[in-house]
Amino acid sequence: MINKYFYGILFSVVTLISVAGCQTNKKQSYMDKNNPTWWKEAVVYQIYPRSFKDSNGDGVGDLKGIISKLDYIQSLGVDVVWLNPIFDSPNNDNGYDISDYTKIMQEFGTMDDFNTLLEEMHQRDLKLVLDLVANHSSSEHEWFKQSRSSRDNPYRNYYHWWPAEKGKPAERWSFFDVNSNAWKYDSLTNAYYLHYFAVSQPDLNWENPKVRMEIYNAMRFWLNKGIDGFRMDVIPFISKDTSFPVLSEKYHGDFVHFYANGPHLHEYLQEMNKEVLSKYDIMTVAEGAGVNSDEVLNYIDSERKELNMLYHFDGAKLGLIPGERKKLDPNGVSLIEFKKVYSKWDSVTKEKGWGTIYLGNHDLPRMVSRYGDDSLQYRALSSKMLTTFLMTMRATPFYYFGDELGMTNIKFNKIDDYQDIETINWYKHLQETGGDLNDFLEMEKWVGRDNGRTPFQWDNTENGGFTSGKPWLKVNSNFKTINVVAEEQNPNSVLNYFKKIIRIRKENLVLVYGDYTLYDLENPDIYAYTRELDGIRQLILLNFTSHKASANLSFDIADAKLVIDNYDNTPNLDDLKNFSLRPYEAVIIEF
Ligand code: GLC
Ligand code: CA
């Protein structure tokens, strides 16, 4: 009896404990699953320093310019600023060709300016992430000058050299070379050096431990100053099979995938983490060129101790003709494919790792020109709709400066207007090979990188208030109406919508951590998904077209609360109940 009774009590105690345990477990499993961290909740704002604000009239944006606009950046509600490279560089690729990793580019200012920038940012609770360009340096870096000078120079092994007496090295393609050839013959030592990008960007030899130590030291230099992380330029490319084998057929259409999967890549990232990253509370994000969704966890699964995040190219590749160099498919981007890509990438980080989301950056055209509609009628609406997408996915948004104004592609008519080495060298390539130059110029209006690099539009004065001098790249003539001053005054502007939706994301952690579920996949017009967390459910509806469209959903939203809508006048409730949206409409409802 007693025993029975005893066991009975024991049983209920156990049940109670396990029920309570379950509750803590539930909480804990939520905690474990999401492992909340500042960089998961952050909105990253990317600034192309050359084009943000010029302080001294030389036509080039600079650090003092950024300092003068920190109140603006703070007013947006973003948390982190990622600056494209600000280091010493001859600027063949606008700073992606570094000649000294611990010096500030003269055009951008001084180390004192940098220190002030960092201090003033931290005072405003803004974090600063710098761009680490470690796959290659500039050919003007002292290491390369030494390396080139003789075969027995101590720096020879800092780069990849192929002695010409061994014959021609196996073919490697280059992104920016006029002949697409990543090997450059150098008569001084009768050898070829490797450059995946321009001839002036020789690839560093990461297989040499000294090179890795040099880069780690440069990283420590900036981290010890107190920066908050790194965006890592083409980091998947760093490790190479130095026997340089002939590439098998399967990589001929996809050499980027080959470049991204070098033999010791993950060893080096783990070493970098152990030596440097693990010692600081920072965020890291890899530029994921060539990395597939089934490989991404190798970079960002926290148990592997490598990096925090990676941004993929699958979205950016949508609507481009496969196998062709940056050519748009005349059929445009299929929304169904778009949904598949972003849903797949959400699913790979469901249990481990953490995702990123972006639609624009310095390598891409303006997001509204690419995925929205930059016509007078729909520019603002479609910009807001795309912003809604970026701010409601389960990933850290990387938001490109100027998109908060709805800036558009400049669509240059002449090659002379371009400054970008990629566009210029491909034009030369076509000239030399008898390609269709007009066709190319037409295409660059949609895909060229300079579209996203035109100066920021501050006001309606000359050059949009960017510079008192001659801007290094032309200012888009629409600055008269699309600019900060005009948009700050207009409560319905793209800018004010951006600020509002950032606030909404911050106040609704469901939009950060909540589960993502896609609905109505086959709908070619509307992207519909829910985000759910701890009993809160929000439905996001995005019309990607310039016509009215309806989603095929069966939710009962009679008592739903409207969280935000991108139209100036709120939607008709009956329309909403039928999930019918106006052109480029974006809605969030909670129910
Ligand atoms: C990355 C950068 C790009 C640069 C290239 C070479 O793709 O984002 O701007 O040109 O690497 O460094
Ligand atoms: Ca300047």
Side-chain angles (χ1 to χ4, degrees):
M1 264 319 269
I2 292 175
N3 273 355
K4 238 184 178 175
Y5 180 65
F6 179 69
Y7 280 124
I9 289 184
L10 192 64
F11 179 72
S12 359
V13 171
V14 169
T15 325
L16 275 178
I17 290 175
S18 51
V19 168
C22 244
Q23 268 164 7
T24 16
N25 266 345
K26 199 174 155 211
K27 246 194 171 161
Q28 232 165 20
S29 81
Y30 155 72
M31 296 291 272
D32 285 351
K33 194 170 147 204
N34 288 295
N35 198 2
T37 318
W38 62 266
W39 45 263
K40 293 183 180 172
E41 292 168 25
V43 174
V44 181
Y45 182 67
Q46 182 193 348
I47 292 181
Y48 200 64
R50 244 187 142 59
S51 301
F52 193 56
K53 175 71 188 169
D54 174 23
S55 71
N56 61 351
D58 66 355
V60 175
D62 45 52
L63 299 186
K64 280 209 168 94
I66 301 174
I67 295 169
S68 72
K69 293 296 183 184
L70 286 177
D71 288 341
Y72 169 75
I73 298 169
Q74 189 182 27
S75 78
L76 298 174
V78 299
D79 310 276
V80 177
V81 172
W82 152 28
L83 288 185
N84 291 96
I86 53 169
F87 317 104
D88 202 23
S89 165
N91 279 314
N92 285 327
D93 186 20
N94 293 352
Y96 283 97
D97 45 332
I98 296 175
S99 47
D100 188 335
Y101 284 87
T102 54
K103 219 171 130 189
I104 298 289
M105 186 195 302
Q106 216 174 8
E107 272 182 316
F108 285 175
T110 64
M111 194 58 85
D112 280 347
D113 296 336
F114 175 81
N115 295 337
T116 309
L117 174 68
L118 185 61
E119 201 184 306
E120 295 233 355
M121 284 183 70
H122 283 168
Q123 270 168 19
R124 289 171 175 82
D125 268 339
L126 290 166
K127 296 191 189 285
L128 177 61
V129 163
L130 294 182
D131 213 313
L132 179 76
V133 191
N135 174 68
H136 45 268
S137 74
S138 160
S139 53
E140 295 188 21
H141 196 293
E142 187 57 31
W143 301 335
F144 189 72
K145 289 186 186 162
Q146 295 283 339
S147 183
R148 239 197 109 194
S149 64
S150 77
R151 284 193 181 190
D152 50 20
N153 185 284
Y155 288 90
R156 185 65 169 182
N157 252 337
Y158 271 45
Y159 296 86
H160 295 286
W161 291 97
W162 182 271
E165 64 271 19
K166 280 170 70 180
K168 271 199 165 169
E171 188 168 20
R172 290 291 182 272
W173 290 272
S174 155
F175 294 92
F176 300 159
D177 189 60
V178 176
N179 303 310
S180 263
N181 179 2
W183 290 108
K184 169 77 179 164
Y185 177 70
D186 196 32
S187 59
L188 198 63
T189 55
N190 189 36
Y192 298 84
Y193 68 84
L194 184 73
H195 62 91
Y196 282 175
F197 294 88
V199 272
S200 53
Q201 293 168 296
D203 284 47
L204 282 160
N205 178 9
W206 273 70
E207 318 309 319
N208 177 354
K210 281 197 192 145
V211 166
R212 305 204 294 276
M213 293 312 135
E214 299 265 19
I215 296 292
Y216 301 160
N217 280 337
M219 293 170 77
R220 286 188 195 105
F221 175 87
W222 295 104
L223 289 167
N224 291 340
K225 279 184 170 288
I227 68 159
D228 304 287
F230 287 110
R231 174 265 184 189
M232 301 190 181
D233 192 61
V234 292
I235 198 78
F237 292 4
I238 53 178
S239 175
K240 279 127 189 153
D241 176 346
T242 51
S243 69
F244 293 104
V246 173
L247 290 199
S248 65
E249 274 298 321
K250 75 169 179 183
Y251 290 118
H252 282 222
D254 190 14
F255 67 93
V256 186
H257 191 225
F258 172 81
Y259 285 1
N261 289 287
H264 301 289
L265 169 68
H266 292 289
E267 273 166 52
Y268 299 159
L269 291 178
Q270 281 166 17
E271 178 186 75
M272 178 197 280
N273 185 295
K274 186 162 163 261
E275 294 282 325
V276 188
L277 305 175
S278 60
K279 311 220 156 97
Y280 305 85
D281 176 22
I282 52 168
M283 60 163 263
T284 50
V285 57
E287 183 193 20
V291 180
N292 295 337
S293 58
D294 53 3
E295 295 156 345
V296 64
L297 286 182
N298 293 337
Y299 293 77
I300 61 167
D301 172 356
S302 57
E303 280 162 28
R304 290 174 56 89
K305 298 195 171 25
E306 296 189 19
L307 305 177
N308 300 139
M309 296 176 274
L310 173 146
Y311 70 85
H312 66 80
F313 281 51
D314 285 0
K317 279 193 282 200
L318 282 172
L320 296 179
I321 303 173
E324 298 247 18
R325 189 204 160 271
K326 287 198 183 178
K327 271 204 176 150
L328 285 187
D329 183 332
N331 299 318
V333 179
S334 145
L335 181 64
I336 296 175
E337 292 308 314
F338 188 94
K339 295 188 227 182
K340 284 185 186 160
V341 162
Y342 289 100
S343 302
K344 181 177 73 187
W345 280 88
D346 176 82
S347 72
V348 289
T349 55
K350 244 190 154 107
E351 305 297 334
K352 292 169 165 187
W354 184 252
T356 61
I357 190 92
Y358 73 102
L359 289 175
N361 65 34
H362 65 292
D363 292 328
L364 295 173
R366 282 286 167 191
M367 90 175 170
V368 67
S369 302
R370 181 78 170 79
Y371 302 95
D373 182 334
D374 63 9
S375 69
L376 199 57
Q377 192 178 6
Y378 290 126
R379 181 193 63 87
L381 275 172
S382 64
S383 289
K384 293 175 191 172
M385 185 277 291
L386 295 169
T387 293
T388 313
F389 167 66
L390 294 171
M391 294 300 153
T392 55
M393 290 296 279
R394 198 179 63 85
T396 296
F398 284 71
Y399 200 87
Y400 190 52
F401 84 124
D403 284 345
E404 79 274 27
L405 305 176
M407 280 177 62
T408 64
N409 280 8
I410 191 160
K411 302 176 189 162
F412 288 132
N413 287 313
K414 309 188 299 286
I415 188 67
D416 297 341
D417 284 332
Y418 284 96
Q419 298 292 330
D420 179 15
I421 187 169
E422 184 186 42
T423 302
I424 293 169
N425 280 0
W426 199 258
Y427 185 88
K428 285 187 192 151
H429 172 84
L430 293 173
Q431 260 177 335
E432 284 175 16
T433 55
D436 188 334
L437 296 173
N438 283 331
D439 193 47
F440 172 72
L441 285 178
E442 274 315 298
M443 198 45 80
E444 285 300 283
K445 292 180 182 175
W446 296 99
V447 299
R449 301 197 299 181
D450 276 343
N451 286 298
R453 298 177 176 184
T454 61
F456 194 73
Q457 298 166 198
W458 292 102
D459 55 38
N460 65 5
T461 65
E462 213 186 341
N463 296 318
F466 163 69
T467 179
S468 57
K470 184 172 181 284
W472 72 278
L473 184 68
K474 280 190 181 159
V475 179
N476 195 315
S477 59
N478 61 22
F479 75 87
K480 294 236 160 70
T481 49
I482 304 173
N483 64 62
V484 172
V485 170
E487 297 202 24
E488 278 179 342
Q489 283 161 4
N490 171 4
N492 296 320
S493 64
V494 179
L495 176 61
N496 278 316
Y497 185 85
F498 177 63
K499 292 184 189 176
K500 189 167 161 198
I501 200 160
I502 286 201
R503 228 172 30 239
I504 289 173
R505 187 176 169 90
K506 303 255 126 141
E507 287 163 5
N508 293 267
L509 279 186
V510 59
L511 291 177
V512 177
Y513 294 117
D515 281 338
Y516 160 94
T517 312
L518 173 70
Y519 290 89
D520 203 12
L521 166 65
E522 296 304 330
N523 191 318
D525 304 325
I526 291 186
Y527 194 164
Y529 48 98
T530 55
R531 303 295 312 282
E532 280 177 82
L533 182 74
D534 296 341
I536 295 172
R537 178 167 58 174
Q538 297 194 342
L539 171 68
I540 294 97
L541 298 170
L542 308 169
N543 183 355
F544 272 72
T545 75
S546 57
H547 52 260
K548 270 189 100 171
S550 309
N552 187 9
L553 301 170
S554 52
F555 297 117
D556 177 6
I557 55 163
D559 301 321
K561 175 181 110 189
L562 181 69
V563 179
I564 193 170
D565 183 283
N566 66 341
Y567 269 66
D568 303 352
N569 52 343
T570 46
N572 173 316
L573 277 183
D574 287 332
D575 280 350
L576 251 197
K577 272 181 216 151
N578 297 319
F579 308 104
S580 165
L581 300 182
R582 294 168 279 183
Y584 293 110
E585 187 160 28
V587 199
I588 306 179
I589 26 193
E590 185 170 316
F591 65 111

